[in-house]
Amino acid sequence: MRHDPQLKWIVSGMVFTQLLACYLVKDLSWKWIFFWAYAFGGCINHSLTLAIHDISHNVAFGNKQAKWNRWFAVFANLPIGLPYSASFKKYHIDHHRYLGGDILDVDIPTDFEGWFFCTPPRKVVWLILQPLLYALRPLYVNPKPITRMEVYNALVQFIVDLVIYYLWGLKPVIYLVAGSILCMGFHPISGHFIAEHYMFLKGYETYSYYGPLNWITFNVGYHMEHHDFPSIPGSRLPLVKKIAAEYYDNIPQHTSWVRVLWDFIVEDTIGPYSRVKRIFKLTDDKD
């Protein structure tokens, strides 16, 4: 449960790769802007959201350097184009503390989502809308006061967006934002959103995936291991599985995020309702 000293260098390399890409795409036609946003830039941006997930557990600089982790997450956020890191941190702790908690865990789709997005075509639309729903659901389900860090996150993000626009025009900004939206929607990497906690088998609500896409997603597929040990960096989760193989090898797991998306769309028994929901009774601190 130590911090990952390599994480800051990997993330920095990804951020600067995207800044270089902004320069390279500034004169491309719009069709190629969106092609490279989906095929390349969006993959990096989605990976950066998962780096931010890791950083939210203080694994970049350790628990004693919490502020360094928060500001480094703001830096990792830059290519995503929209402020994300501070709000994610605010809600993600509840996802671990109250997994499946009604109102508390905003990863749980709303009743409307479960009712409406229930046919294959509608589930495809739901997957495309994932980034929007992921961003707006907390504001509806469990609104929280805006924090100072969220304000800083937004200010830094929009200043950098404006600098990119001033230097290279609108196309690089669209490349970044479109990549984030497209690759967090209907995209193979986004299979992890469904794979992690949707109940494909009754009685099992968290699943791991050990395939090659872990190489570009900071091992987010090792999700059972992550929920057991959230303070362990993603880079060391394969070691957790190796050490405690008897606990992980014989439980249900996914072998393909693309297959997860396909099954989610075509199977009548799986949809936004396929989540375990719990009612948590929180005690008042004054009691």
Side-chain angles (χ1 to χ4, degrees), residues 20-39:
L20 174 61
C22 285
Y23 171 77
L24 295 175
V25 304
K26 64 184 177 66
D27 296 319
L28 294 181
S29 65
W30 283 109
K31 67 177 181 180
W32 287 111
I33 292 288
F34 286 103
F35 171 81
W36 288 114
Y38 187 83

Side-chain angles (χ1 to χ4, degrees), residues 33-268:
I33 292 288
F34 286 103
F35 171 81
W36 288 114
Y38 187 83
F40 177 74
C43 297
I44 295 179
N45 285 3
H46 196 141
S47 184
L48 283 170
T49 69
L50 298 172
I52 290 170
H53 164 259
D54 242 18
I55 297 164
S56 74
H57 291 284
N58 292 334
V59 302
F61 297 97
N63 288 317
K64 293 182 179 180
Q65 302 289 347
K67 285 189 176 180
W68 287 41
N69 286 285
R70 298 293 80 74
W71 280 106
F72 188 63
V74 171
F75 172 72
N77 195 146
L78 296 180
I80 295 171
L82 298 169
Y84 165 83
S85 64
S87 298
F88 176 83
K89 167 67 177 177
K90 183 171 69 174
Y91 283 100
H92 187 63
I93 189 67
D94 288 342
H95 170 67
H96 278 270
R97 185 177 294 162
Y98 310 112
L99 179 62
D102 186 31
I103 299 177
L104 299 170
D105 184 359
V106 295
D107 275 6
I108 300 288
T110 63
D111 288 338
F112 173 78
E113 292 172 64
W115 168 77
F116 184 78
F117 298 103
C118 57
T119 65
R122 291 183 184 182
K123 285 191 276 188
V124 170
V125 173
W126 186 80
L127 291 171
I128 293 171
L129 294 177
Q130 268 279 85
L132 183 64
L133 296 171
Y134 199 75
L136 297 181
R137 190 186 299 131
L139 304 179
Y140 169 75
V141 173
N142 187 18
K144 294 184 179 184
I146 295 175
T147 65
R148 183 177 298 179
M149 199 67 216
E150 286 178 289
V151 175
Y152 293 155
N153 186 188
L155 286 174
V156 171
Q157 185 64 59
F158 292 135
I159 288 172
V160 170
D161 289 346
L162 287 172
V163 170
I164 292 173
Y165 173 76
Y166 175 79
L167 291 175
W168 301 316
L170 180 63
K171 288 182 178 179
V173 178
I174 297 298
Y175 161 80
L176 294 177
V177 175
S180 299
I181 294 173
L182 292 172
C183 283
M184 291 185 70
F186 196 59
H187 190 277
I189 298 177
S190 292
H192 78 88
F193 287 125
I194 307 301
E196 291 165 0
H197 297 297
Y198 282 76
M199 197 163 58
F200 282 74
L201 292 175
K202 189 173 181 179
Y204 295 91
E205 64 172 313
T206 301
Y207 301 79
S208 285
Y209 155 82
Y210 302 119
L213 288 179
N214 279 301
W215 300 342
I216 59 171
T217 57
F218 296 92
N219 286 328
V220 74
Y222 288 75
H223 215 67
M224 181 68 80
E225 294 84 347
H226 170 63
H227 272 263
D228 286 344
F229 303 100
S231 295
I232 294 180
S235 61
R236 299 198 188 106
L237 290 176
L239 182 59
V240 172
K241 181 179 183 295
K242 181 179 179 180
I243 292 172
E246 67 272 22
Y247 291 98
Y248 299 112
D249 285 351
N250 298 316
I251 57 176
Q253 56 191 248
H254 291 296
T255 58
S256 167
W257 283 341
V258 173
R259 179 60 186 268
V260 164
L261 291 173
W262 174 259
D263 289 345
F264 179 82
I265 292 168
V266 303
E267 295 289 340
D268 292 336

